[in-house]
Amino acid sequence: AVTFFAFFSNNLALFWILVELTTILSAILIVILNARENILAALKYVFIASSAMLFCLIGILLVFAMTTQVLGAGTLNWDELFAQANLLPAPLFTLAFVFMFIGFAAKSGIVPFHTWLPPAHAKAPSVISALLSAVLLNLGIYGILRLYAIAHQTPAVHNISLLLIIFGVITIAIAAFSMLARENIKKLIAFSSVEHMGLILLGIGLGTPVVLFWVLFHILGHALTKSLLFFSAGILRQQYHSNRYLDMKNVLALQPLASAGIIIGSVAVIGTPMFPLFLSKFYILSELAGFSGWLLFIVLLLLLMVAASFALFMVRTFSQAGTDEAQVRYRASLSMKFSIIAQVGLLVALGVFFPLGLANMLKNIVASLGF
């Protein structure tokens, strides 16, 4: 309920409060297994996210002071800020944006504020990992996107766009190199979330109507794909009592459905054709080509590294023959099986068919943001 109200709040201060509440509540979910490692991961999450949100609070106070000076009465209403954005002094708004960006970037796992994300995902139950990756990371992105829509109405937009592009590329790079050495399935998936948040941030920084349309679509495709991967990884965790894929033997025979989920999810998350993320990645990179050919080349190399990491992970996981014939198969519940089947169906459907209603909704969102 808190997350729902955060997305629909029409006040920057209220949004900040609700985002902070999601941090506390999701930390409680991370420690639901009462393991020492979970508690440490949750504390790290709370410390980093809440500390960064203090900077965000400073930015919010600066915005309130600006509107008091310019409008005569301070406001933090999203609609009023958007309508009066051209009256805000660009240097001071840029400073406020930087402070607020620190908080929302930490919430969405943007480098260098991402260090809480891999341990939190790895230690939390898989359903909580799916919630963190598919929903809560998007709260930070939502905040950044709405702030950028305000910045787009001011002369500060060029500097702010450059800031977002730089942090987006750095985030993709750190995630790509970090994934190469991962043997923990859930940490691999977590660093992939960092990479996708970087790509989304890069798209926001490019700031054209076309790229923002596909950024929104990418957020949807990413949520579906990561849910599938974490649900499947959760079944493998129950089967082998380990998240290390080197410990998993005879996976295809023991858990065929989870194996299919991992394979399809891995293929989908790297942006393979016939899956949703192919379309969004293609159009984001196409817009990047118009911005800088060299930057496009660098990002493509990084994305190839990410694809190589997933390829290596799948080869190592599914090529290991079983050595213990007496190993008991973990029987997943019907709800777990249904979740995987439903996610696969949605991914395939959205990859080959673009509903007109969804397209119109995304266009309306982009238009409402002033692009």
Side-chain angles (χ1 to χ4, degrees):
V2 173
T3 304
F4 176 83
F5 286 121
F7 279 114
F8 284 91
S9 62
N10 197 31
N11 183 283
L12 180 55
L14 178 60
F15 177 71
W16 181 89
I17 293 170
L18 293 172
V19 169
E20 275 287 71
L21 285 175
T22 63
T23 300
I24 302 300
L25 295 175
S26 54
I28 295 173
L29 293 176
I30 292 172
V31 300
I32 199 169
L33 295 182
N34 297 320
R36 179 175 178 272
E37 294 82 1
N38 292 39
I39 295 173
L40 292 176
L43 289 175
K44 186 175 184 179
Y45 170 40
V46 171
F47 176 77
I48 294 176
S50 295
S51 297
M53 288 300 284
L54 290 176
F55 287 92
C56 186
L57 180 60
I58 295 173
I60 292 172
L61 294 175
L62 286 173
V63 170
F64 187 81
M66 274 188 288
T67 56
T68 301
Q69 181 181 7
V70 172
L71 306 178
T75 181
L76 293 174
N77 181 277
W78 283 117
D79 293 336
E80 293 181 18
L81 290 173
F82 180 80
Q84 305 294 333
N86 61 324
L87 299 177
L88 301 177
L92 192 56
F93 181 78
T94 302
L95 179 62
F97 184 95
V98 170
F99 278 115
M100 290 184 287
F101 172 75
I102 292 173
F104 294 138
K107 188 67 180 179
S108 53
I110 300 298
V111 172
F113 316 106
H114 70 295
T115 52
W116 65 266
L117 195 152
H121 281 65
K123 299 301 180 183
S126 292
V127 65
I128 306 305
S129 298
L131 177 66
L132 288 171
S133 190
V135 180
L136 293 182
L137 292 184
N138 292 329
L139 272 176
I141 291 296
Y142 174 82
I144 293 171
L145 182 58
R146 293 209 66 167
L147 289 173
Y148 183 76
I150 296 172
H152 189 255
Q153 312 299 320
T154 73
V157 64
H158 301 293
N159 292 332
I160 289 174
S161 293
L162 185 60
L163 172 76
L164 298 183
I165 290 171
I166 291 172
F167 272 92
V169 174
I170 292 174
T171 299
I172 296 172
I174 296 298
F177 281 101
S178 299
M179 290 172 67
L180 289 174
R182 296 303 115 188
E183 295 181 355
N184 184 305
I185 291 180
K186 294 182 70 176
K187 282 192 176 182
L188 178 73
I189 301 171
F191 274 110
S192 174
S193 292
V194 175
E195 173 242 331
H196 281 275
M197 291 302 107
L199 186 63
I200 290 169
L201 189 66
L202 171 61
I204 295 173
L206 293 173
T208 66
V210 171
V211 78
L212 289 175
F213 175 93
W214 289 106
V215 160
L216 295 172
F217 184 75
H218 192 93
I219 291 172
L220 173 60
H222 173 259
L224 292 173
T225 308
K226 284 302 164 60
S227 297
L228 172 61
L229 284 169
F230 277 120
F231 288 152
S232 302
I235 294 178
L236 297 185
R237 172 68 176 83
Q238 295 294 329
Q239 175 67 57
Y240 298 99
H241 306 288
S242 173
N243 287 323
R244 292 181 73 251
Y245 56 76
L246 296 179
D247 296 334
M248 300 176 182
K249 311 289 184 181
N250 209 17
V251 181
L252 286 168
L254 289 172
Q255 294 296 337
L257 182 61
S259 298
I262 289 290
I263 293 171
I264 294 173
S266 298
V267 170
V269 82
I270 62 175
T272 304
M274 304 299 289
F275 290 101
L277 295 183
F278 166 74
L279 294 170
S280 53
K281 279 190 174 183
F282 176 81
Y283 284 102
I284 292 173
L285 294 176
S286 296
E287 291 294 313
L288 180 59
F291 177 80
S292 170
W294 279 107
L295 200 55
L296 173 65
F297 177 73
I298 292 171
V299 172
L300 282 174
L301 286 180
L302 294 172
L303 294 181
L304 285 174
M305 289 175 58
V306 171
S309 297
F310 272 100
L312 182 62
F313 150 65
M314 285 192 289
V315 168
R316 288 184 174 180
T317 301
F318 298 110
S319 63
Q320 299 183 95
T323 57
D324 185 4
E325 296 181 358
Q327 187 171 20
V328 178
R329 174 186 296 179
Y330 170 74
R331 297 192 177 278
S333 66
L334 288 177
S335 61
M336 297 171 76
K337 293 179 180 178
F338 175 78
S339 297
I340 292 176
I341 294 171
Q343 297 288 347
V344 170
L346 286 171
L347 278 175
V348 173
L350 200 56
V352 299
F353 175 69
F354 204 127
L356 180 61
L358 176 60
N360 290 333
M361 182 182 73
L362 297 182
K363 288 178 182 177
N364 290 336
I365 293 174
V366 173
S368 69
L369 292 172
F371 294 92

